[in-house]
Amino acid sequence: MTTTETFRALHRRPDPADPLILPGPWDAASARAFVDAGFPALATPSAGVAAALGYEDGRTPADEMFAAVARIVRAVDVPVSADVEDGYGLAPKELVERLLEAGAVGCNLEDSRGGVLKDPHAHAEWLAEVRAAAGDRLFLNARVDTFLRGVEDPDRALERAALYVAAGADCVYPIAAPPEVLPLLRSGIEGPINAFAALDADGRPGPSCAELGVRGATRITFGPGLQRRATDALRRITAGLRS
């Protein structure tokens, strides 16, 4: 079984209360810490990696993002999926080649750019080209940004999700969807659903990962939440050193 096949198999969750939890490493050290804690796979957050590299979210040059992903992949022995934002304007074939060169088993691909939603039909066509170039070598997580961009009607998310699944997406990620909407999305989306778990000040998700799973999430990611909590902890430690 290839690493990508292993990653794909992890999305088959017989118990809804046991979703796949994918921590988001921002560098090799954090990736090793997550694997040491027992997580079977990881998913990089673009915003967390950007912060670690000294960039604002969405401003990381493609070369630096792929290099960061490659360092994370080399540091661990579990599958790593990469958040590569909206693909950095790369042609599908080049995007796939660079992901595979970095050692990623999958990727997040957003359907907005510069805060503006893309035309869903054009984006679906592009996703289909990525799927064709990748074959079964990459697990494609298609992010649906409607809720993030202020479009609260779940039907708009469902319409986009259907197009992306038809284009070959393995998973759909309706980022920022309210937890109470997850059952409706689950009923209308074919295949795995990625849910975003916000972390409180103590680093706990609310609702819990199990609750999100029961509501319909197949897998849980945290965006840059873990990197930001780690940075907050470091600030508290260093403030103590000064005192």
Side-chain angles (χ1 to χ4, degrees):
M1 183 179 289
T2 67
T3 310
T4 303
E5 289 170 340
T6 297
F7 186 67
R8 188 170 280 113
L10 287 171
H11 290 75
R12 295 194 283 271
R13 315 299 290 184
D15 181 1
D18 181 32
L20 175 61
I21 299 173
L22 296 172
W26 53 95
D27 59 14
S30 60
R32 291 193 189 103
F34 295 142
V35 172
D36 288 346
F39 291 99
L42 307 174
T44 67
S46 61
V49 173
L53 295 175
Y55 293 101
E56 295 181 9
D57 186 19
R59 301 290 183 138
T60 309
D63 288 348
E64 293 198 44
M65 183 62 75
F66 286 112
V69 171
R71 288 192 294 272
I72 289 168
V73 170
R74 286 198 302 268
V76 297
D77 58 0
V78 302
V80 178
S81 182
D83 182 347
V84 289
E85 305 181 70
D86 68 346
Y88 305 112
L90 299 173
K93 185 175 184 294
E94 183 179 359
L95 175 62
V96 167
E97 288 174 350
R98 299 200 66 174
L99 285 162
L100 293 173
E101 287 171 1
V105 299
C107 61
N108 273 15
L109 293 170
E110 305 168 3
D111 69 348
S112 64
R113 176 179 296 161
V116 178
L117 288 165
K118 297 180 181 180
D119 175 80
H121 295 277
H123 186 64
E125 290 178 4
W126 181 76
L127 284 175
E129 293 179 24
V130 175
R131 175 84 282 162
D136 61 0
R137 295 176 296 172
L138 291 173
F139 186 98
L140 303 185
N141 188 33
R143 206 176 87 173
V144 176
D145 287 2
T146 51
F147 295 101
L148 186 66
R149 304 305 175 198
V151 180
E152 299 179 0
D153 184 354
D155 287 341
R156 304 290 80 77
L158 288 169
E159 290 168 358
R160 286 173 177 260
L163 289 170
Y164 304 161
V165 170
D170 295 287
C171 184
V172 175
Y173 180 14
I175 188 171
E180 60 271 17
V181 176
L182 278 175
L184 175 61
L185 297 177
R186 173 68 284 164
S187 68
I189 293 175
E190 181 181 350
I193 295 177
N194 188 148
F196 169 78
L199 302 176
D200 64 18
D202 296 320
R204 291 188 296 264
S208 72
C209 294
E211 290 174 309
L212 291 172
V214 169
R215 293 185 186 195
T218 309
R219 66 185 234 180
I220 310 294
T221 54
F222 307 91
L226 293 165
Q227 181 270 330
R228 290 172 180 171
R229 294 303 178 275
T231 301
D232 289 344
L234 186 58
R235 289 194 182 101
R236 291 194 294 272
I237 291 169
T238 52
L241 294 175
R242 288 179 57 86
S243 64

